[in-house]
Amino acid sequence: MNIDPDRFLADLHALRRFGAAGVGKGVVRPAYSEPDIEARRWLAGRMEEAGLRVEVDEMGNMFGIAPGRSLLLGSHSDSQPQGGWLDGALGVIAALEVARAAVEAGGPAVSVVSFQDEEGRFGVTTGSAVWAGHLTLGEADALEDHAGVPLADARARMVDMVTGPVSAEHFTGFVELHIEQGPNLDNAGEKVGVVTDIVGIRDMKITFDGQQNHAGTTPMAVRRDAFQAVSAFNSALNERLRNVVTPRTVWTIGHVSLTPNASSIVPGRAVFSMQWRDADSDRLHRMEKIIRELADEVASERGMEVSFGQMLGLEPVAMDAQLRDALCAAAEDEVPGQWRRMPSGALHDATNVSKLLPVAMLFAPSINGISHAFEEDTAEDDLVTATQVLARAVAASGAR
Ligand code: GLV
Ligand code: MN
Ligand code: MN
């Protein structure tokens, strides 16, 4: 089965035009934004042209379904608030191309998906979490983005596209091609990575409540400054975690919101995102305990209140051995000696889908390991090679 590189790259560039922003090939296409919804309308058209039946569930996950039972390929087409052109998009367009190549080759049938809100405007991989039953639609609807918009309101913007629930019974397994989003393949000059397992994640909002006051007249000694609390918490955290973490454990405060966020007002409230990831669930749990204790301690030392938002998370998962081996065999045939097995430090929809179907993942290199940034990129030859490896693995799975 051979993909058409020009057709594949043309569609990848066409998708990038929805929300194209910033320098280079940057994209701003958060879940349920105008560009995201317009991109999904375009994608539905491309799926239909490929002979797939388009179905969209209430979350906005969009499926292009092949006749009969089939392998499902895909990823997501929403982006981070500032993202690159390949995160998610590569997996969706590669899936579309492999589905077309499969029709041209006379099989096997391939279905395509673009999950909604993988990038977590509202949570953590929200669309696939609901599809896989990890979250109920009601629980998801109550989630709010950083601006306080409820997911229920956001998804109402694309309700005209919804056809109804989509059963996992259509599919025999799920394979997601994605960029690595780290430096390993690029540094080694390797062409693809076959994923062994995906890390787990925890994510919650923490709020410090102090006293809003005048920035000129309030003596330092009596201030209850919510940003000072965030700053003290952040400074102490690395040391507190030191004996629990490994070099692969990561933690991030990526969003801080101060109230009222003005130069001449001591901030009375700070809400911030606290996220941590590791391959071991037990370590994630021990980190949670340390995070909660430290936040309590910082608040009580400053006469402030602390509260913890809903804990969102996903457990680490291993890839399905049979699908993973099909990717390894295809990689060795296509790029002998120029690939590796590797874990994923980024999160993916495949984690949720593993609750329903056997899953596997393939990585393409990321130039300089940069992602979740406008500079994210991959050499076009490498994008084509990874997609061809995917097509080869799909053809072999169909032949078994
Ligand atoms: C997904 O984009 C992640 O944050 O790993
Ligand atoms: Mn992604
Ligand atoms: Mn991402």
Side-chain angles (χ1 to χ4, degrees):
M1 185 197 302
N2 286 314
I3 65 159
D4 177 337
D6 293 337
R7 181 175 61 184
F8 158 65
L9 289 170
D11 273 349
L12 200 49
H13 283 284
L15 177 52
R16 182 176 71 83
R17 286 186 205 110
F18 297 94
V23 294
K25 298 174 184 160
V27 164
V28 175
R29 200 166 57 226
Y32 309 109
S33 63
E34 189 81 29
D36 171 57
I37 293 171
E38 286 312 308
R40 281 171 200 275
R41 289 191 204 286
W42 170 82
L43 187 60
R46 298 305 272 157
M47 287 174 169
E48 277 163 5
E49 284 163 24
L52 303 169
R53 185 178 80 253
V54 175
E55 294 196 14
V56 179
D57 72 9
E58 286 173 298
M59 278 295 291
N61 297 313
M62 174 175 284
F63 295 80
I65 302 177
R69 288 188 85 223
S70 66
L71 206 51
L72 178 66
L73 308 183
S75 189
H76 60 96
S77 52
D78 62 304
S79 84
Q80 286 285 333
Q82 289 191 1
W85 71 304
L86 299 171
D87 179 355
L90 169 62
V92 172
I93 300 301
L96 181 64
E97 179 54 30
V98 174
R100 291 185 293 225
V103 170
E104 288 159 4
V110 168
S111 296
V112 178
V113 62
S114 172
F115 286 110
Q116 185 52 292
D117 197 28
E118 192 276 348
E119 298 292 10
R121 175 180 167 195
F122 293 95
V124 175
T125 59
T126 331
S128 59
V130 173
W131 188 60
H134 181 68
L135 270 184
T136 65
L137 189 61
E139 286 166 339
D141 272 348
L143 296 170
E144 292 181 355
D145 70 3
H146 286 303
V149 177
L151 188 147
D153 292 0
R155 74 178 176 85
R157 298 185 61 193
M158 59 177 295
V159 74
D160 61 304
M161 298 172 78
V162 172
T163 53
V166 177
S167 167
E169 293 289 315
H170 294 299
F171 314 117
T172 54
F174 175 62
V175 185
E176 180 170 5
L177 168 59
H178 204 281
I179 46 167
E180 179 198 340
Q181 310 185 276
N184 297 295
L185 296 173
D186 192 44
N187 285 346
E190 289 168 343
K191 297 296 177 192
V192 291
V194 177
V195 175
T196 51
D197 50 82
I198 304 174
V199 296
I201 188 169
R202 298 290 181 271
D203 196 312
M204 71 174 164
K205 287 180 184 159
I206 302 180
T207 303
F208 285 120
D209 277 303
Q211 176 62 57
Q212 183 176 326
N213 212 333
H214 193 293
T217 57
T218 316
M220 295 310 289
V222 302
R223 286 186 184 199
R224 292 190 295 133
D225 179 328
F227 182 67
Q228 294 256 339
V230 178
S231 162
F233 172 86
N234 183 50
S235 301
L237 187 59
N238 292 10
E239 182 57 27
R240 293 291 175 96
L241 291 174
R242 197 157 61 93
N243 292 329
V244 173
V245 298
T246 76
R248 281 186 47 206
T249 315
V250 292
W251 56 98
T252 309
I253 296 176
H255 189 276
V256 180
S257 126
L258 300 178
T259 305
N261 209 20
S263 307
S264 293
I265 302 179
V266 175
R269 164 172 278 204
V271 184
F272 63 101
S273 60
M274 183 71 237
Q275 184 192 88
W276 59 107
R277 309 185 190 204
D278 192 82
D280 177 2
S281 294
D282 186 54
R283 182 171 294 108
L284 291 172
H285 183 68
R286 281 182 282 148
M287 291 174 74
E288 177 184 351
K289 198 158 172 289
I290 290 167
I291 286 163
R292 287 183 188 269
E293 281 170 5
L294 177 60
D296 280 335
E297 198 178 299
V298 165
S300 74
E301 276 166 1
R302 287 167 173 71
M304 295 173 51
E305 299 295 321
V306 63
S307 51
F308 301 95
Q310 184 182 349
M311 170 69 88
L312 300 171
L314 295 172
E315 300 309 314
V317 298
M319 300 297 96
D320 174 74
Q322 208 175 346
L323 285 175
R324 186 198 59 209
D325 290 351
L327 290 171
C328 290
E332 187 55 25
D333 284 345
E334 202 69 38
V335 284
Q338 289 181 281
W339 63 281
R340 69 169 69 189
R341 293 178 180 81
M342 62 188 298
S344 172
L347 228 33
H348 297 289
D349 293 307
T351 294
N352 292 315
V353 179
S354 73
K355 289 199 169 2
L356 302 176
L357 298 169
V359 302
M361 285 198 73
L362 184 68
F363 281 165
S366 291
I367 295 173
N368 297 323
I370 295 177
S371 186
H372 285 188
F374 288 150
E375 295 93 326
E376 169 190 288
D377 208 357
T378 298
E380 293 196 351
D381 281 357
D382 288 346
L383 298 173
V384 169
T385 298
T387 305
Q388 187 57 49
V389 171
L390 178 67
R392 193 183 270 271
V394 168
S397 306
R400 261 207 311 272

